[in-house]
Amino acid sequence: GQSLEQPSEVTAVEGAIVQINCTYQTSGFYGLSWYQQHDGGAPTFLSYNALDGLEETGRFSSFLSRSDSYGYLLLQELQMKDSASYFCAVRGNTDKLIFGTGTRLQVFP
Amino acid sequence: DAGVIQSPRHEVTEMGQEVTLRCKPISGHNSLFWYRQTMMRGLELLIYFNNNVPIDDSGMPEDRFSAKMPNASFSTLKIQPSEPRDSAVYFCASCSGGGASREQYFGPGTRLTVT
């Protein structure tokens, strides 16, 4: 089967750095995506990793280790507006994305 | 671009009634997805269309659910009859390329409440 594991909740203060981990078990693997969802909003795409290493997009970075079936999303210089749920999603052999259960990030002043 | 458009944004109905959710994908996108999101089950893929053809409907919970895509710019998800356990937020998403395209564009969702 296919499964993804993420922590259910993470808390941090403004200006800090936070890392949200994702481990996956899939039949085949093509890439790992990250989505952000604010309360009452829709998921929006953040980043994608197909190869090992770090991808940086402004304050957000995403890392992948294919050998460890592991990735993470790194958020730097946290702002209050970063409070949201973050989902990892895996592209496996099936022609669809499989989403994790999401990590709720709360940023405190 | 207006993004993915869904209607209605909110729907409250009584158990046993028929519910129809509507979606207009982003122009030029050839893949369309219907997802359901609940606290208990997270974000679940219900059905995926590619070039208006249903490719994977393994996530459709039961025969009460049906989805159509009569053309490239319109899709519906119908629940008949509706039950309280169908209460959820239903998202439509679209993208270019296949179903596992790394970037899917989600609509604002329809919040369905069945009483």
Side-chain angles (χ1 to χ4, degrees), chain A:
Chain A
Q2 303 187 91
S3 66
L4 292 90
E5 287 193 20
Q6 306 178 233
S8 59
E9 189 167 356
V10 174
T11 59
V13 296
E14 271 188 304
I17 299 172
V18 73
Q19 179 174 311
I20 299 174
N21 299 320
C22 174
T23 57
Y24 58 87
Q25 192 171 21
T26 60
S27 302
F29 177 84
Y30 289 92
L32 183 71
S33 298
W34 288 93
Y35 284 76
Q36 178 192 58
Q37 184 180 27
H38 287 99
D39 284 348
T44 57
F45 174 80
L46 288 177
S47 67
Y48 176 77
N49 295 70
L51 302 175
D52 286 357
L54 192 68
E55 294 280 342
E56 297 182 64
T57 310
R59 295 186 298 113
F60 293 2
S61 303
S62 57
F63 172 84
L64 175 66
S65 169
R66 296 173 66 120
S67 60
D68 295 324
S69 298
Y70 164 75
Y72 65 73
L73 181 69
L74 189 73
L75 298 87
Q76 302 182 76
E77 301 173 18
L78 279 175
Q79 302 176 8
M80 295 294 289
K81 67 178 181 179
D82 297 330
S83 292
S85 291
Y86 293 84
F87 296 85
C88 58
V90 168
R91 179 187 171 195
N93 278 345
T94 60
D95 192 24
K96 57 189 178 185
L97 284 180
I98 306 298
F99 282 83
T101 53
T103 299
R104 186 174 182 84
L105 170 64
Q106 293 191 70
V107 180
F108 294 97

Side-chain angles (χ1 to χ4, degrees), chain B:
Chain B
D1 199 322
V4 176
I5 299 172
Q6 291 187 247
S7 65
R9 294 293 307 277
H10 300 272
E11 177 80 31
V12 179
T13 190
E14 292 184 347
M15 183 174 63
Q17 297 298 306
E18 177 180 297
V19 175
T20 299
L21 311 182
R22 297 172 176 79
C23 175
K24 176 179 170 55
I26 292 173
S27 176
H29 283 182
N30 63 342
S31 295
L32 182 139
F33 313 84
W34 284 100
Y35 289 91
R36 177 173 67 177
Q37 187 174 40
T38 62
M39 289 293 293
M40 292 297 293
R41 301 176 67 89
L43 193 62
E44 304 173 276
L45 177 66
L46 300 177
I47 188 169
Y48 148 51
F49 292 87
N50 185 253
N51 293 322
N52 312 337
V53 176
I55 302 299
D56 186 340
D57 65 354
S58 59
M60 295 286 263
E62 49 198 272
D63 292 345
R64 297 185 298 106
F65 285 68
S66 63
K68 294 182 179 180
M69 191 165 186
N71 56 62
S73 59
F74 184 67
S75 177
T76 59
L77 178 68
K78 185 177 293 186
I79 309 173
Q80 165 65 16
S82 58
E83 297 182 2
R85 60 186 166 136
D86 301 329
S87 297
V89 180
Y90 290 81
F91 288 104
C92 175
S94 71
C95 69
S96 55
S101 176
R102 62 186 188 182
E103 183 171 1
Q104 296 181 9
Y105 296 80
F106 284 74
T110 294
R111 183 173 295 276
L112 173 65
T113 302
V114 183
T115 61

